[in-house]
Each structure stands twice: as structure tokens, then as C-alpha cells.
Amino acid sequence: MPLSDEKHRLIYDEMVNIIGAHYVSDDPVVAQAYSRDFYAVSTLRRRNLPEFIVLPGNAEDVQQIMRLANRYKFPFSVIGSGFLFVLFGAIRPYWCIIDTKRMNGLEIDEKNMYSIIEPYVTHAQLHAEAVKRGLHMGIPEAGSQASSLANHVFQGLQGTAYRTGYAARNILGVEWILPNGEILRTGSLAIPGAGYYWGEGPGPDARAILRGAAGHLGALGVITKLAVKLYPWPGPSVFPTEGIAPDKKSELPPERFKWYLFTYPTFEQSIEAMREIGKAEIGGMLHRWPPVYFNWWWAKSKEEYWGTWVDEYWHKNVKNCVSVCLWGFASEKQVEYEEKVLKQIIEETGGNLIPDEVYKRWAPYTANNWIRDTNGCRMMRPSGTFSTNVITYDTLDDCHRSLQSGWEVADKYSPPILDSEHADWVLAYDFCHFASAEIDFPHEKTDEVCQVAVDSARETVIQDMKEQVVQFTTCVAPANRIGTTYANFHLIVARIKKALDPNNVANPTRLIDIERMEKGEREIK
């Protein structure tokens, strides 16, 4: 790390002139804090530490930093809450990480049901402010302290996706600083004075470049502000809780919210039940949770987790379990009506309600946290971390196929991958018009075992590329590595990247490795 060379000092001084000495650091101790996440230290990060950490206060600061990056040809990446360092950690000299924690503006337009947020607004902040006004947003799976803006442009799995849809579909107007320092305003923001209320156009909808399983990973610029759609909230203005964490209960008014958990003999029957529920368009939430999820979110300690797991308490009671939460959006009568419809579906599809004792052990302590998700990182409690080797987005029909392929690979690496009994979470979107299927598993947080987990994911990616299956793990691989499998989409991405980032300074190699492509193809046209 050339901390003392002339280029480093020049960049540092220029950054100080832009945003002030308090908000720029090149201290190696500070840089160390920007090189860690839930994997072991060396896994996927046998690279450089960042040389600069900058904390801009507004869009103009970001714009000037990006112009500086183009002038002196140094790379940069951007973070929200900083959960996945592997996607933005330093990999080249003079790397600058743009930390957006000072950019935490939040506005809510109650009448038009949307919120304008900056990058460091968390899900918890937005949800708390929205419910005061009888509104709520799509609830994330990354945890309440994750950046809501980041979740809407990256990944987009949300606990309420059955009704609120894929997160990126809720994006309205966007303020976007391109890698060359220009400001792009999309949707209604493109019309002077129109505001944030509309996401599409004018002309081609630029949100398509932002959206997808993983978005552009900051390789096409920095989103400094966006508006997200909000939805009606039939619950109280303050989310009810009782007790002290981790032994905390949360029960919503039963006349407006009612959970039903029921099981089936086979995976296929549970999927068919989800399909029927989607056809009826009832409920506010719909999941198929595997037994390991119940244990992850319910256990108050490692001892309780492993004791219950070894005894197979959850295996025996919640195998092939479908979970539905009925929401009385319009009235209490809506819940009563939807209960009748749901009970008929359960009967006709051969489902059985889980035992009342099991329900009481789970629902009051854990189920409603999937509405506000305050305990998402409990997945890491059993072993210190966790990994995923499959997240596919397709129809409900494809879920079993994709899960089966992931289980076959994971079994080869178990142990040291710890037992999760073929985890099979299915999350429905848009009234079951499509779904995501995910395999998660715990493992020890050591260099060797984390590398095994990565190898498992890599092997699954290779297998799915052969079958041309769209998978989340695939989507965070550089486009040039997988594009030939998927209609050569990397050629389109390369043209966009070259147009918006001619100096290749915005998170180079993560979205697409332009330099590697040019070695094989001297010119990208």
C-alpha cells in the first residue's frame, strides 16, 4: 500500500479540500475496519486494504469525489451498511471506499404513499417512521440495520415479498451519480419540479440498469437518493414488543393479523398449497420455512440451538411447513373471510396445522420478526457465520429442481459444512407469480472451512451454468465469466460500463472485468 508516495498524498489532500479532514482517513487501523464481514479474515480477501475512507455528506460531495477519481485514475467503491465486503473491498492500489453513513435523510409523503431515502437510512428507521403514518415498506431479509436503499437496488429479498413484490419493483424516482461525475435523475425526477412519485421513463426506463438479482454493485455509479413505494399498514403505530432480547415477544392485534402454520407429507404438496393461496390472493405474507430456520430464529443461545437440533424437535414438527400471515388491510372482516378461504385450501390440499404447543413456542417470539426482521443475523449464532450455495429466481415449479441440485453439492462438503437437513426456504413473490429458492447452512468461521463453503457455492454455480439456470450466486460473478452462458449479456453490460465509466474507476472487476475482456477482445464496440 503506497501510503507515502506522491500520488497518495495528492489524492488525500484533494479529498480533504472537498469534504474536510474529519471525513477523510488513510489510517491503516481505520482501513482494517473496512475489510471484515461474516467470513473468515482471509477468505475471498487476500487482497489490499483500502487506502482511503471518505464520508461524503451529500450528492455534491459524492460527485466531486468521483470526478477526482477520474482525474487521478484511482478506483472506488461504495457501501451502505457494509454487510458484504467481498463485493466492494479493496483489490487495487489507491482504492477509496465511499462510506455513506452521513447521508441519512428520510422523508415520507403520506398522501402519495412513498418515502425518499438516502443510503444510510436503515430498514428499522424507515419502518418505524412509516407505521406511525399507517404505512409500511417491504421488509428485508438482511436485518433491520441494513441500508434500505441498498436492499432495493441489490438482491431485494423481503419477508413481505408475497404482497409487496420484489424490492426493486418498488423503486420510484432516483438520483444517481454516474461514474464520470454526471448526475442522472430518472423517472419523474427527469421532469423539473415533478418530484419523486413515478419510477418509469421518460423514454426507456433506466431502472432496468439498476435492478436484478444483484444490481450493478456500484460499478455504474452511486445512488444518493431514491424514492420507494410504501403500502398500507393495518397495525398499531408503534410495533408492540414485550420482554428483553433475546427473550422478547411480539404480538400484533389478532383481529388484524393472524398466523397459520401447516405441514404436508411432501415438498410438492406444500408448493401446490402455496400456489392455491396465491391464486386466491389472500394473506400479507407467505413462506415455506425449513426446520433449520425455525431453530435459527427461535433459539436464544447456542446451547438451546444445538440441543433442540440434536433432539430433532423442529424436524418432527415443521417439515414441509407453509407459513401464512393474514393481514386485515381493509377491516377485521377481511381476516375472517380469508381464514375461511385458507382453511378450505388447507383441507383440500391435505395439510395439517402444526401442534398448538409448537405454534406457541414459535409465533409470539419469532414470526412477527419477519415483518420487522430485527433478528436476521441469528443465522450466524450457531457457528459464527453461514453460507448459501443456491438462491434461484424462477417459478414455483422450479424450486425443487434447484434445491435438489444445491443439496447434492452441499452433501459433498458435509462435513465440514454443518448439518442443516437440506434447508429449503421458498419465498413467494407477487402472489406466487414467481419465487426464490434458497439453501443456507452454518459452518465454522475459519479460513479452511469458509473456503470449503465458497467451493460449494462455486461448484453449484458451474453446475447451474451448464443448465442455464439463473442463480443469485451466479449473478454476483463478473458478467464476463458467465455471459456466454446467458445470451452474451456481458457484451451489453460492457458497452454500458464503457459509456458510463470510461476510466473504469467504479468498483472495477466486480460487475464486469473490462480489462480481462479486452485482453481477449481488443475493442468493445
Side-chain angles (χ1 to χ4, degrees):
M1 186 165 61
L3 285 175
S4 59
D5 74 0
E6 184 177 351
K7 181 175 178 178
H8 178 98
R9 291 195 300 270
L10 183 60
I11 294 171
Y12 180 86
D13 290 342
E14 291 278 12
M15 287 180 174
V16 169
N17 288 336
I18 292 172
I19 60 177
H22 289 299
Y23 304 116
V24 181
S25 178
D26 62 356
D27 187 334
V29 175
V30 174
Q32 284 282 355
Y34 287 81
S35 62
R36 300 288 184 270
D37 61 15
F38 57 92
Y39 271 102
V41 173
S42 66
T43 307
L44 300 177
R45 274 179 298 287
R46 298 180 180 90
R47 312 284 176 86
N48 302 315
L49 292 179
E51 290 192 35
F52 309 99
I53 310 298
V54 296
L55 280 70
N58 51 48
E60 290 71 26
D61 288 349
V62 174
Q63 187 178 31
Q64 290 189 62
I65 291 166
M66 295 167 83
R67 286 174 174 169
L68 188 70
N70 281 276
R71 189 186 316 159
Y72 293 115
K73 306 295 191 296
F74 65 85
F76 66 84
S77 55
V78 62
I79 65 173
S81 56
F83 189 59
L84 288 171
F85 279 94
V86 65
L87 298 180
F88 59 79
I91 55 176
R92 291 183 176 179
Y94 306 106
W95 195 279
C96 173
I97 289 183
I98 300 173
D99 186 342
T100 57
K101 62 167 53 77
R102 293 176 61 208
M103 301 172 65
N104 58 359
L106 167 62
E107 303 174 43
I108 293 180
D109 185 325
E110 296 180 46
K111 180 180 179 181
N112 296 300
M113 297 175 62
Y114 68 84
S115 175
I116 306 170
I117 53 176
E118 291 185 340
Y120 211 68
V121 173
T122 67
H123 292 295
Q125 289 174 289
L126 177 53
H127 190 250
E129 293 302 317
V131 298
K132 292 177 184 177
R133 298 163 172 82
L135 301 168
H136 85 288
M137 31 71 82
I139 312 302
E141 296 312 313
S144 59
Q145 299 309 310
S147 163
S148 186
L149 183 152
N151 181 246
H152 280 84
V153 298
F154 172 83
Q155 193 169 359
L157 279 74
Q158 297 186 337
T160 53
Y162 167 71
R163 185 168 286 270
T164 58
Y166 191 68
R169 295 183 179 177
N170 293 319
I171 296 175
L172 303 176
V174 177
E175 180 184 82
W176 180 357
I177 315 297
L178 300 176
N180 59 13
E182 296 182 10
I183 298 181
L184 174 65
R185 294 182 174 89
T186 69
S188 52
L189 275 182
I191 304 170
Y196 284 82
Y197 72 94
W198 190 43
E200 298 178 16
D205 185 359
R207 290 180 305 175
I209 305 175
L210 292 178
R211 300 186 298 190
H216 61 71
L217 308 179
L220 300 180
V222 177
I223 310 303
T224 51
K225 194 179 292 185
L226 62 74
V228 295
K229 184 178 179 180
L230 300 178
Y231 292 84
W233 169 250
S237 60
V238 176
F239 209 92
T241 60
E242 177 186 336
I244 300 173
D247 194 25
K248 180 178 283 190
K249 296 173 63 176
S250 177
E251 295 186 272
L252 290 162
E255 65 275 10
R256 287 288 184 137
F257 297 86
K258 188 162 290 189
W259 280 96
Y260 276 85
L261 287 82
F262 42 99
T263 61
Y264 290 88
T266 68
F267 181 97
E268 289 77 10
Q269 286 175 289
S270 65
I271 294 297
E272 184 59 29
M274 294 179 72
R275 194 190 325 275
E276 292 302 316
I277 292 166
K279 287 180 182 178
E281 296 190 0
I282 59 171
M285 297 176 69
L286 176 62
H287 292 260
R288 187 190 182 284
W289 290 322
V292 72
Y293 270 40
F294 285 82
N295 211 12
W296 267 334
W297 269 265
W298 165 84
K300 315 301 186 298
S301 66
K302 287 186 178 181
E303 284 185 335
E304 193 169 57
Y305 173 88
W306 286 113
T308 312
W309 188 251
V310 170
D311 290 343
E312 298 190 345
Y313 175 84
W314 298 108
H315 309 58
K316 298 170 184 174
N317 289 298
V318 292
K319 187 71 174 176
N320 296 317
C321 182
V322 176
S323 308
V324 181
C325 188
L326 305 179
W327 290 32
F329 291 102
S331 66
E332 297 173 14
K333 289 185 177 180
Q334 179 181 359
V335 175
E336 295 173 3
Y337 165 74
E338 293 192 0
E339 272 190 291
K340 295 177 182 178
V341 176
L342 179 61
K343 288 179 179 178
Q344 182 176 339
I345 291 173
I346 294 172
E347 181 180 356
E348 291 177 351
T349 54
N352 292 289
L353 294 175
I354 66 172
D356 190 55
E357 180 269 334
V358 180
Y359 179 91
K360 290 179 179 177
R361 205 172 195 183
W362 163 263
Y365 291 93
T366 307
N368 286 335
N369 276 321
W370 282 71
I371 299 175
R372 60 176 189 152
D373 203 358
T374 57
N375 56 8
C377 290
R378 286 191 180 182
M379 297 172 74
M380 301 182 190
R381 180 173 290 169
S383 60
T385 187
F386 79 102
S387 287
T388 298
N389 79 335
V390 163
I391 305 180
T392 56
Y393 297 83
D394 210 305
T395 64
L396 282 172
D397 292 332
D398 183 68
C399 289
H400 192 262
R401 182 216 57 80
S402 61
L403 291 169
Q404 185 72 38
S405 67
W407 295 333
E408 291 172 1
V409 174
D411 286 346
K412 297 179 183 179
Y413 298 91
S414 303
I417 292 175
L418 300 175
D419 178 34
S420 61
E421 207 203 33
H422 287 172
D424 52 5
W425 176 36
V426 175
L427 171 61
Y429 297 79
D430 300 334
F431 297 113
C432 296
H433 281 83
F434 78 104
S436 60
E438 180 169 340
I439 297 174
D440 302 306
F441 46 80
H443 57 84
E444 289 184 297
K445 192 175 181 178
T446 65
D447 291 341
E448 296 79 8
V449 179
C450 283
Q451 188 59 52
V452 168
V454 172
D455 292 342
S456 169
R458 184 181 295 115
E459 184 174 334
T460 309
V461 168
I462 293 171
Q463 178 173 308
D464 278 4
M465 284 177 64
K466 292 177 181 178
E467 299 178 17
Q468 296 189 337
V469 174
V470 180
Q471 185 190 138
F472 172 65
T473 313
T474 304
C475 295
V476 297
N480 52 288
R481 288 178 57 188
I482 60 174
T484 54
T485 302
Y486 302 104
N488 289 323
F489 81 94
H490 63 297
L491 300 178
I492 299 173
V493 174
R495 289 197 291 271
I496 295 171
K497 175 71 169 173
K498 292 282 283 187
L500 301 183
D501 185 14
N503 293 310
N504 195 27
V505 292
N507 205 12
T509 76
R510 275 358 185 308
L511 174 68
I512 188 167
D513 194 333
I514 291 291
E515 293 176 3
R516 178 169 290 185
M517 284 184 67
E518 289 182 329
K519 288 179 181 178
E521 183 181 344
R522 298 312 306 172
E523 184 178 357
I524 298 173
K525 299 179 180 180

